[in-house]
Structure formats: C-alpha cells, structure tokens
Amino acid sequence: MSSSSIDYDYLRSVVMRNSGNQVDPSRDYLFESRLQRLLRDRGLQSLGQLVSALRADAGPGLQRSVAEAMTINETSFFRDTPTFDLLREQLLPALIASRRDTRSLRFWSAASSTGQEAYSIAMMLREHFPLLAGWKIDILGTDLSAEMVERASAGRYQRIEINRGLPARFLVKYLVRSADEWEIAPDIKRLCRFQQRNLCQAPIMPESFDVIFLRNVMIYFPQDTRRQVLLTMHRSLAPDGVLFLGLSEQPRMDSHWQTMLTPKTVWYKPIR
Ligand SMILES: C[S@@+](CC[C@H](N)C(=O)[O-])C[C@H]1O[C@@H](n2cnc3c(N)ncnc32)[C@H](O)[C@@H]1O
C-alpha cells in the first residue's frame, strides 16, 4: 500500500482518542518511524495493515499501544535548572515550615516519562534537606505509557541519559553501577513510585499534593484538554501548593492560577 493511501486521519484520531495528543498532519511521517516496533511485534507488514487491524478490533488494547508508541518521551535530570533552584531555595523551605506538624510532603510528577524528574526531586531532598529524613515523603510519577512507567520504576539509565543534567557528585552518591548502566540507589528509589495514568481521563486525586510538576506535556494537547487537565491539577493541589509547567506552557486560566514570576523562572499558585 502506498503512503498516500494510508488513512492518516484515522491514525491521528486513534492517537487523539487514547492520549489527547494531537499529531499535526505535517508530521504524519512520524507514524512510519514510531510504529515500526509495534508493527514488528504484532506481525504486521505495513501501516495500511495496522489501520485494517485497528478497524477490525474495536478493543482498547491495540489502540492504546498506537497512542503510547506515538508519545514523545524526551526528558532529563534536573531539566530547567532554575525550577529546581527556586524549589530548593525558596518554595520548599516555606512548605516545610508550614508542614512541620504533619511532617509529610507529597509531589506529583505528572507525565514522568522515564522518571528523571521524580528522581531529581528525591535526590534534591536527600542532598539539601536532611531534616526530612524522618518525614513521610511521597513522590508519585505518572505517565500514559506503560513502557515509560516500567522504565521509570526500574530506575536504570545509560551513560547518555546520565550525561544529561545529573551532577557528577550526585552520580557517585545516589546511583550505583550495574553492568553498563547506572541504577538509582534504593534509598532514593523508595521515595518514588510510578503508575500508568492518562491525564485526560484522570479522576480527581483523593489526596492533595504540595508540589505538582506538569511539564512539557500540555504542548501536545488541544486547548479544551489543557483546560480540563489544569482543573484536575487545581483540585489536586494543596491551597498553598506549587504548580510548575514547562517553560513554553501557560495555564491561561486567570481565575484559577496566579502567575508567580521570579527573575529566572515562573511558577503558579492556585487561587481559591
Ligand atoms: C516530553 S515528555 C515530558 C517529561 C517530563 N515531564 C519533562 O518535562 O521532562 C512527555 C510525556 O508525557 C506523556 N504523556 C503524553 N500524553 C499523556 C497523557 N494523556 N497522560 C499522561 N501522560 C502523557 C508521554 O508519554 C511522555 O512521557
């Protein structure tokens, strides 16, 4: 089947329904490269055959696999350093002071990909806030992709991933060499847990979080989905909690979020 006869409209709609991600038609060529492994695993010869299989099987399994395979999983340790600097220098000291009675802090890395964001938070806490050793710390990472959740839970990284943002002293202190990879040390791992979750279908979280990282995922959503996801975040955040978005993202919901500009970065405060 020639590429012109592949029903890309249909493939785009499968991705949208199952992940909320919009694929611009100018990027249809990505289906070919990203879905190669799925085609091989399913014994399919071409995208045309995949479209036929999707149409024949209305169940969610194959549809979700297509949506997951189309996600962009780019991430790194301590991505956007000023965000972590601000958290360490100003926002966490204030949160710690106001939580001294409950001695508990909850973080949500929403769209956690391979886990570097969650582990960066955990390493920062261990390195700079020794007084939290006796506190209940919960760092939840969630992602649409089962494969990313599995990789994040394993916490094993290759040299190229380590080289992206992880300070050398943290490598020595908080990771252990395992064959040709490095693995997050148990003391850091136990602060973090990872779950598969679709942000577009997320029910309201039962407990509130003190800090939410929702970075570099809303860029893939259409405007109405962004609004929905931001409402979920608003309900899931403590009244004095902190929301971080990716540097190119804004909430555009003036009645719900106060934009807190600092010299090097920005964070969002929920308005009640
Ligand atoms: C570019 S990565 C961002 C990772 C990390 N937050 C960061 O900023 O470095 C985007 C992640 O969002 C996930 N994702 C995409 N759509 C999602 C959805 N509807 N629900 C949950 N995660 C989603 C992808 O699987 C991918 O791992």
Side-chain angles (χ1 to χ4, degrees), residues 19 21 72-75 79 111 143-144 198-199 215-216:
S19 69
N21 288 215
I72 294 170
N73 310 113
E74 165 88 14
T75 190
R79 185 175 189 175
D143 201 278
L144 175 86
N198 184 348
L199 285 171
R215 303 191 307 163
N216 306 302

Side-chain angles (χ1 to χ4, degrees), residues 152-212:
S153 306
R156 277 197 292 279
Y157 298 97
Q158 298 183 343
R159 166 61 81 184
I160 191 168
E161 295 167 303
I162 294 296
N163 285 348
R164 297 194 58 206
L166 186 69
R169 71 176 197 288
F170 280 22
L171 173 61
V172 176
K173 219 165 154 181
Y174 300 120
L175 285 90
V176 279
R177 186 86 190 244
S178 147
D180 56 351
E181 293 182 322
W182 279 263
E183 184 167 347
I184 301 288
D187 184 43
I188 296 298
K189 247 189 205 175
R190 70 181 177 76
L191 301 179
C192 304
R193 62 198 170 101
F194 295 91
Q195 292 174 358
Q196 186 180 17
R197 193 168 299 177
N198 184 348
L199 285 171
C200 305
Q201 295 165 357
I204 299 165
M205 289 283 187
E207 294 158 85
S208 69
F209 291 88
D210 301 299
V211 182
I212 297 179

Side-chain angles (χ1 to χ4, degrees), residues 82-218:
T83 298
F84 286 91
D85 292 345
L86 177 72
L87 191 59
R88 187 186 73 241
E89 290 165 7
Q90 292 178 29
L91 302 175
L92 263 178
L95 279 170
I96 289 170
S98 64
R99 304 289 187 275
R100 60 184 176 274
D101 293 338
T102 56
R103 292 163 63 86
S104 152
L105 277 174
R106 301 197 70 212
F107 300 79
W108 182 11
S109 167
S112 48
S113 186
T114 35
Q116 285 91 326
E117 188 169 79
Y119 291 130
S120 298
I121 299 168
M123 286 186 265
M124 188 189 70
L125 297 181
R126 277 284 174 267
E127 181 74 10
H128 297 284
F129 299 93
L131 87 110
L132 296 180
W135 285 40
K136 187 174 178 315
I137 303 294
D138 182 28
I139 303 169
L140 172 66
T142 62
D143 201 278
L144 175 86
S145 159
E147 185 186 342
M148 293 307 120
V149 170
E150 201 177 303
R151 288 194 53 200
S153 306
R156 277 197 292 279
Y157 298 97
Q158 298 183 343
R159 166 61 81 184
I160 191 168
E161 295 167 303
I162 294 296
N163 285 348
R164 297 194 58 206
L166 186 69
R169 71 176 197 288
F170 280 22
L171 173 61
V172 176
K173 219 165 154 181
Y174 300 120
L175 285 90
V176 279
R177 186 86 190 244
S178 147
D180 56 351
E181 293 182 322
W182 279 263
E183 184 167 347
I184 301 288
D187 184 43
I188 296 298
K189 247 189 205 175
R190 70 181 177 76
L191 301 179
C192 304
R193 62 198 170 101
F194 295 91
Q195 292 174 358
Q196 186 180 17
R197 193 168 299 177
N198 184 348
L199 285 171
C200 305
Q201 295 165 357
I204 299 165
M205 289 283 187
E207 294 158 85
S208 69
F209 291 88
D210 301 299
V211 182
I212 297 179
F213 283 70
L214 175 69
R215 303 191 307 163
N216 306 302
V217 62
M218 284 203 304

